Amino acid sequence: MLQKIRDGASGPLAYIVVAVIAVVFGVWGIGSYFTPSSDPVVASAGGTNITHSELQQAFNQRYQRLRQMMGDHFDSSMFPQDEIRKNVLDNLIDQAVMTQYAQDQGYRVTDANLLAEIRSNPQFQDNGEFSPQRYKALLRQAGIEPSQYEARLRQGMLGDQVRQVVVGSAFAAPPEVDVAYRRAHEQRKVDVLTFDSSAYADQVKIDDAAIKTYYDKHPKQFMRAPRVKLAYVSLDADQLSPKAPDQATLKQLYKAHKNEFGTPAKRSADEVRIPIGQDDAKARQAVQKAVAAAKQGQSLKQVASSIDGAQFRQIDSQPQSALPDAVGSALFSLKQGALSTPVRGDKAWYVLRTTAITPAKTPAFDDPVVQARLKAMATQQERAKAFRQKSDKLDDLAYQAPNGLKTISDKLGLKIQHTGWISQNGGGSGLGQYSAVRKAAFSDAVLKDQLNSKVLDLGNQRHVVLRVTDHQKAQRKPLAEVRDTIRSRLIARESQQRAKKAAQQAMAKARQGQSLEQIAQAGKGAKLTQAGFVGRDDSKLDPNALGAAFDMPMAQKKSAPTQYRVVSTDNGQAALVAVLGSRVQSGGGQGPKRAQIAQQQSGYNASLEYSALDRYLRKQADVKIHKSAMN
């Protein structure tokens, strides 16, 4: 074959082949130099390229995880997509750099390792066994080719091998463990003298000039969000008034729901239950023995007491639906006082004796209560039917007449209603409380193009079509509207400053030897809390006060002087924190607690070492980011 090809590489045939190849390259090959790639490279790290599709796929997965984690509380404004995209790209670059390092160092992931990892993933299993169909279906649902997923998984496993080596080699030296143990089990004796800032509010005077100055210096704090006024039509099933049902309709409903108007038949009985367990033959013999004893006149309670494993109970006036299928079927076929034959259930044998029969009760069609329920049912059905019909027409009209609400109003008999101002941020009552309404109102089609919205489903069989009648862009609120807010803010700030000054003066007095009790008695709005010994995670104290207590350096000798610091608490008060002493909880730093601290410290050191290796490799790698291909 090869010789024939060589022989044919000259002469007329060769010219024809060359001509065809030239045409192909002329049409396709040259054009490829001028046509941008459909999947451009967004970044390169050493010899690894990261394409736009890889970045987009990783970004989508990260974004969806955030949505799932936060559920109904998800707010896209909290997660700017550009920032998430940059973070995802950084992670992909780090992964590529670490993979290259692992390969250079001789780490490998065999096909067998890869297959074992995939097969052990619970997401790809069905009843505890790996399912190829489920594997392919989940990847297809995520928009990922198996080859892409496996290549990415292989990269991750290479990085994990490096991480395992780093973690395995990390250790914590005994002095480190000692320090970590003392830090974890240290307690400090703390007093906190709090000065309530509200006690100083009556001393603060704020004039109009100060308010105006604050207003001018902080324009962004007093911005009103964009808002709109809406006109809308509302199709609400609860507001529809169908015609009164006729007698034929009511009788038809009565026939279909007859059992719902009365009470079902009930039975009371004695029951012996014999579990089947692992030996069905033994259970069968036991139930036959029970039936024979009952026929000789023994009560079922006596029968149960004479048979190992048998259980007795009384069934008290129960409908058939409340009983196991086999028991209910057998019991409701018995007459008063009759004894059943052996009844086999899923997990046990039963013997039953009827003790009471309560027949079903069904009120007549003309009963006033029945009539009221039938009319309510008929009205609800007619209302739902009318809602479906009008809803279908509303869908058509919203599409056919997008430039106003009058056509919809006239043809469906729906009144055009109006709202007050609705902010893009939402909140409040009325139509503006629905996120679907706000989203539609501020969409380009409704706000900029001045079209009707699509039909919005607000739940509880209510549909709405709306349009914008007035719009205000974001703007600063007038000073008169926020004057009182600014005044309160300035009073609070000045009061806090005065409380802080009082705390600093108290600290000076304490250092001169005056007790905190004396200072608290004389201080305005002062309150002393003697917390005693507290740990770093204690909930007795304000977090800021607790943090300050453990931030202060403490000498290890018992006669160490009291340490002081002034802080602001979480609720805006001023506090003087006094640390009177320090101790380490008993235990000697040995045994299981020390081993746990050593393990935690070793893990912390491992994470530092891995992060340092990651930063070093990233710095050494030839990383290029093509911003033009990011979007």
Side-chain angles (χ1 to χ4, degrees):
M1 177 64 74
L2 292 175
Q3 185 60 46
K4 289 182 179 180
I5 293 175
R6 294 191 189 100
D7 293 342
S10 60
L13 178 60
Y15 290 113
I16 294 173
V17 171
V18 170
V20 171
I21 294 174
V23 170
V24 171
F25 274 95
V27 174
W28 301 106
I30 295 176
S32 66
Y33 287 99
F34 298 97
T35 304
S37 171
S38 60
D39 192 11
V41 174
V42 296
S44 58
T48 302
N49 289 332
I50 299 169
T51 65
H52 183 274
S53 64
E54 291 174 325
L55 173 61
Q56 187 62 37
Q57 203 168 65
F59 167 80
N60 290 341
Q61 291 174 352
R62 175 75 63 85
Y63 209 72
Q64 288 305 315
R65 280 199 298 270
L66 290 172
R67 282 184 176 276
Q68 292 171 0
M69 287 169 55
M70 301 197 68
D72 294 338
H73 301 290
F74 180 81
D75 183 354
S76 59
S77 63
M78 296 170 59
F79 305 101
Q81 294 195 10
D82 289 343
E83 292 184 17
I84 296 178
R85 194 181 302 276
K86 181 179 181 301
N87 182 260
V88 168
L89 180 59
D90 283 339
N91 289 341
L92 292 175
I93 292 172
D94 288 342
Q95 187 181 55
V97 169
M98 188 61 70
T99 300
Q100 290 177 12
Y101 170 77
Q103 292 171 339
D104 293 343
Q105 296 300 311
Y107 294 91
R108 294 292 182 268
V109 175
T110 66
D111 291 343
N113 296 144
L114 184 66
L115 179 60
E117 182 70 16
I118 293 173
R119 293 178 68 89
S120 64
N121 190 329
Q123 293 184 348
F124 303 141
Q125 293 178 355
D126 194 358
N127 294 326
E129 296 291 335
F130 174 72
S131 169
Q133 294 79 11
R134 182 174 177 81
Y135 172 66
K136 293 177 182 178
L138 287 176
L139 292 185
R140 185 167 56 250
Q141 184 178 350
I144 304 174
E145 292 293 329
S147 59
Q148 290 178 312
Y149 173 76
E150 290 161 12
R152 192 179 304 167
L153 180 60
R154 192 185 295 270
Q155 286 184 341
M157 292 175 67
L158 280 171
D160 288 342
Q161 289 183 7
V162 177
R163 185 187 297 274
Q164 290 169 7
V165 170
V166 172
V167 171
S169 62
F171 67 94
E176 280 185 286
V177 179
D178 291 340
V179 171
Y181 183 90
R182 285 197 299 270
R183 177 178 176 82
H185 295 84
E186 181 187 14
Q187 292 182 326
R188 293 193 173 185
K189 189 176 183 181
V190 181
D191 287 350
V192 180
L193 182 58
T194 305
F195 291 84
D196 186 354
S197 60
S198 64
Y200 299 85
D202 58 353
Q203 301 175 357
V204 180
K205 304 298 180 185
I206 303 298
D207 58 24
D208 289 342
I211 294 174
K212 181 67 165 59
T213 299
Y214 187 91
Y215 177 77
D216 291 338
K217 285 185 176 180
H218 305 87
K220 292 184 179 180
Q221 294 185 11
F222 305 105
M223 295 297 293
R224 178 185 289 121
R227 57 183 189 172
V228 294
K229 287 184 178 180
L230 305 174
Y232 68 97
V233 290
S234 174
L235 175 59
D236 190 339
D238 289 339
Q239 302 300 318
L240 299 178
S241 300
K243 63 180 182 180
D246 55 27
Q247 287 295 300
T249 300
L250 296 180
K251 287 182 179 179
Q252 187 177 6
L253 279 174
Y254 178 75
K255 183 178 180 181
H257 299 272
K258 192 173 183 179
N259 292 336
E260 299 176 16
F261 297 113
T263 57
K266 296 180 181 180
R267 296 290 188 273
S268 297
D270 290 343
E271 173 193 276
V272 174
R273 180 180 184 273
I274 301 174
I276 294 174
Q278 301 296 323
D279 193 342
D280 188 18
K282 183 178 179 182
R284 187 190 303 271
Q285 291 175 357
V287 75
Q288 289 172 348
K289 178 181 176 182
V291 171
K295 286 181 177 179
Q296 292 175 2
Q298 292 187 32
S299 70
L300 291 190
K301 187 173 183 180
Q302 292 173 327
V303 170
S305 65
S306 64
I307 298 176
D308 290 341
Q311 303 160 354
F312 172 80
R313 76 157 178 154
Q314 289 181 320
I315 299 173
D316 183 22
S317 190
Q318 294 295 318
Q320 185 170 347
S321 60
L323 299 172
D325 290 343
V327 173
S329 178
L331 182 58
F332 276 74
S333 66
L334 296 176
K335 296 181 179 180
Q336 175 77 31
L339 179 71
S340 74
T341 58
V343 178
R344 195 186 194 286
D346 291 337
K347 298 180 180 180
W349 283 94
Y350 298 90
V351 180
L352 306 163
R353 175 175 279 145
T354 308
T355 57
I357 295 177
T358 305
K361 294 181 180 180
T362 303
F365 171 74
D366 295 332
D367 186 284
V369 175
V370 172
Q371 283 290 304
R373 288 186 59 186
L374 288 173
K375 290 177 181 178
M377 291 170 64
T379 300
Q380 185 63 30
Q381 288 183 359
E382 285 299 314
R383 185 176 285 135
K385 180 180 177 181
F387 178 80
R388 288 194 300 271
Q389 293 173 345
K390 286 200 170 188
S391 181
D392 291 341
K393 292 181 181 178
L394 181 63
D395 283 334
D396 294 339
L397 292 172
Y399 176 77
Q400 295 168 3
N403 297 311
L405 299 175
K406 190 174 187 307
T407 300
I408 298 175
S409 174
D410 291 344
K411 292 194 174 184
L412 291 180
L414 300 176
K415 180 182 177 182
I416 298 177
Q417 304 177 64
H418 296 82
T419 71
W421 289 112
I422 293 176
S423 169
Q424 189 171 9
N425 299 331
S429 58
L431 208 63
Q433 68 181 297
Y434 298 100
S435 59
V437 167
R438 299 193 303 272
K439 183 176 181 181
F442 287 91
S443 66
D444 287 347
V446 176
L447 187 60
K448 294 181 180 179
D449 299 338
Q450 298 182 339
L451 298 175
N452 293 345
S453 72
K454 64 180 183 180
V455 177
L456 306 178
D457 185 352
L458 302 187
N460 295 323
Q461 291 192 307
R462 186 185 181 193
H463 289 170
V464 165
V465 176
L466 58 84
R467 64 183 295 105
V468 172
T469 58
D470 199 358
H471 170 227
Q472 285 185 353
K473 296 181 179 180
Q475 56 183 291
R476 190 158 64 142
K477 297 176 183 177
L479 176 58
E481 187 176 332
V482 297
R483 184 184 300 277
D484 291 341
T485 299
I486 296 176
R487 186 186 301 278
S488 298
R489 193 173 295 178
L490 291 176
I491 290 175
R493 185 174 69 178
E494 179 62 26
S495 299
Q496 289 169 3
Q497 290 173 351
R498 296 192 181 203
K500 184 176 181 180
K501 184 177 180 180
Q504 290 169 339
Q505 291 172 346
M507 181 169 63
K509 293 177 182 178
R511 285 174 173 167
Q512 293 172 1
Q514 194 169 347
S515 70
L516 294 185
E517 290 87 346
Q518 293 173 325
I519 299 172
Q521 291 174 0
K524 186 173 185 178
K527 178 184 178 182
L528 178 62
T529 301
Q530 295 176 311
F533 281 99
V534 296
R536 294 178 184 274
D537 299 326
D538 207 295
S539 58
K540 294 179 184 177
L541 298 178
D542 172 86
N544 293 345
L546 185 66
F550 280 91
D551 282 345
M552 286 185 261
M554 291 292 296
Q556 295 302 314
K557 53 188 179 181
K558 292 184 178 180
S559 59
T562 301
Q563 301 292 319
Y564 299 98
R565 182 172 294 179
V566 173
V567 298
S568 295
T569 66
D570 265 359
N571 59 0
Q573 310 302 323
L576 171 61
V577 181
V579 179
L580 288 69
S582 174
R583 71 183 184 188
V584 177
Q585 287 177 284
S586 61
Q590 301 299 326
K593 288 186 177 181
R594 180 181 173 84
Q596 183 181 8
I597 292 293
Q599 186 177 7
Q600 292 173 350
Q601 187 64 33
S602 177
Y604 175 70
N605 291 345
S607 66
L608 292 180
E609 292 176 16
Y610 188 83
S611 296
L613 174 62
D614 187 54
R615 290 194 301 271
Y616 171 78
L617 295 177
R618 175 74 177 260
K619 189 174 181 180
Q620 297 299 314
D622 182 17
V623 177
K624 295 179 181 178
I625 297 177
H626 310 289
K627 294 184 178 179
S628 60
M630 286 282 287
N631 298 319

